[in-house]
Amino acid sequence: QQQVKQSPQSLIVQKGGISIINCAYENTAFDYFPWYQQFPGKGPALLIAIRPDVSEKKEGRFTISFNKSAKQFSLHIMDSQPGDSATYFCAASINDYKLSFGAGTTVTVRA
Amino acid sequence: NAGVMQNPRHLVRRRGQEARLRCSPMKGHSHVYWYRQLPEEGLKFMVYLQKENIIDESGMPKERFSAEFPKEGPSILRIQQVVRGDSAAYFCASSPYSRGDEQYFGPGTRLTVT
């Protein structure tokens, strides 16, 4: 069974808009929550990550919001650009190395 | 500083043949992880290796699949007697720490079984 559920499956946003991707998990033992960006034909690249002792982390235009009580976390891409068009995966792990990935969200940014 | 290298990038095998996938970690990284990605799905953990040791193979199918990371040379993921269901993208990642919280992925090997 999938331990991390990701939504939506795909989204289209206009250039300059905000992209929001949500993930939910069941296992309260998870203690590391990274987001990966993947372009077609490439491997996933680590984008940003958070641990459950903070509720938000921001790096440039990318922000993770984390809600421990709801067991949810989300990625916000501010001022979306065409170069952000990619597939985004959330993930979670207990001991850091065994990442459980969501199914992915394909983001398309229209110019 | 070269990233994680995987070869071949594309591999076509007939049912019943063997597939060998290679992964060279980033320089200075001694921890290697293999993941499998089926179409329209996220990556699934297969195995975690350090030099000459398998640390965690809980995601590996019990039969036909094996992995190694020898003292010298790349890590190898070996699939014997491939079946159509093995068709997928196989990704290798490496990290400098046993924590694994900085996993750098290679470009993947896309295996097609005909």
Side-chain angles (χ1 to χ4, degrees):
Chain A
Q1 71 283 15
Q2 196 158 25
Q3 295 196 61
V4 180
K5 294 186 178 178
Q6 185 172 346
S7 63
Q9 188 174 9
S10 63
L11 69 91
I12 300 173
V13 63
Q14 292 296 121
K15 181 182 175 183
I18 302 174
S19 303
I20 301 175
I21 306 169
N22 300 299
C23 285
Y25 63 96
E26 286 299 322
N27 192 338
T28 55
F30 284 141
D31 61 1
Y32 175 65
F33 303 88
W35 284 88
Y36 283 82
Q37 180 188 55
Q38 185 180 29
F39 293 105
K42 304 290 186 183
L46 179 62
L47 198 59
I48 186 173
I50 198 169
R51 293 194 182 272
D53 53 344
V54 297
S55 59
E56 186 175 281
K57 184 174 181 179
K58 183 177 180 179
E59 288 184 3
R61 296 183 294 107
F62 299 91
T63 299
I64 299 179
S65 296
F66 185 80
N67 187 329
K68 189 174 181 178
S69 60
K71 293 185 287 186
Q72 295 177 347
F73 58 110
S74 60
L75 176 70
H76 295 228
I77 307 174
M78 314 299 285
D79 187 25
S80 297
Q81 300 296 312
D84 296 332
S85 296
T87 299
Y88 293 82
F89 293 96
C90 61
S93 71
I94 298 171
N95 48 19
D96 287 349
Y97 68 78
K98 192 187 298 185
L99 294 171
S100 294
F101 281 82
T105 297
T106 301
V107 173
T108 303
V109 182
R110 294 253 168 92
Chain B
N1 185 12
V4 178
M5 310 282 283
Q6 288 189 251
N7 66 79
R9 296 293 309 277
H10 300 274
L11 182 62
V12 179
R13 285 287 177 266
R14 292 200 178 111
R15 279 180 297 172
Q17 291 185 319
E18 178 180 287
R20 280 185 180 237
L21 289 61
R22 295 174 189 78
C23 168
S24 296
M26 288 179 69
K27 188 176 182 181
H29 289 193
S30 59
H31 305 271
V32 167
Y33 319 84
W34 286 92
Y35 292 82
R36 177 165 63 176
Q37 184 179 32
L38 295 171
E40 308 300 324
E41 293 186 17
L43 286 75
K44 298 282 194 295
F45 169 82
M46 298 181 76
V47 62
Y48 163 35
L49 310 104
Q50 294 180 21
K51 286 282 187 182
E52 300 184 277
N53 285 305
I54 297 175
I55 308 301
D56 182 346
E57 56 181 349
S58 58
M60 288 272 275
K62 293 290 184 283
E63 298 177 351
R64 302 187 297 107
F65 285 72
S66 62
E68 63 177 8
F69 189 16
K71 188 176 180 181
E72 301 290 338
S75 175
I76 305 286
L77 179 67
R78 182 182 177 204
I79 312 172
Q80 296 179 289
Q81 299 175 337
V82 295
V83 301
R84 288 227 172 100
D86 297 332
S87 294
Y90 292 83
F91 290 94
C92 159
S94 73
S95 73
Y97 317 112
S98 61
R99 291 196 315 266
D101 58 347
E102 286 187 26
Q103 293 187 27
Y104 297 87
F105 282 80
T109 293
R110 277 139 187 94
L111 172 66
T112 302
V113 180
T114 62

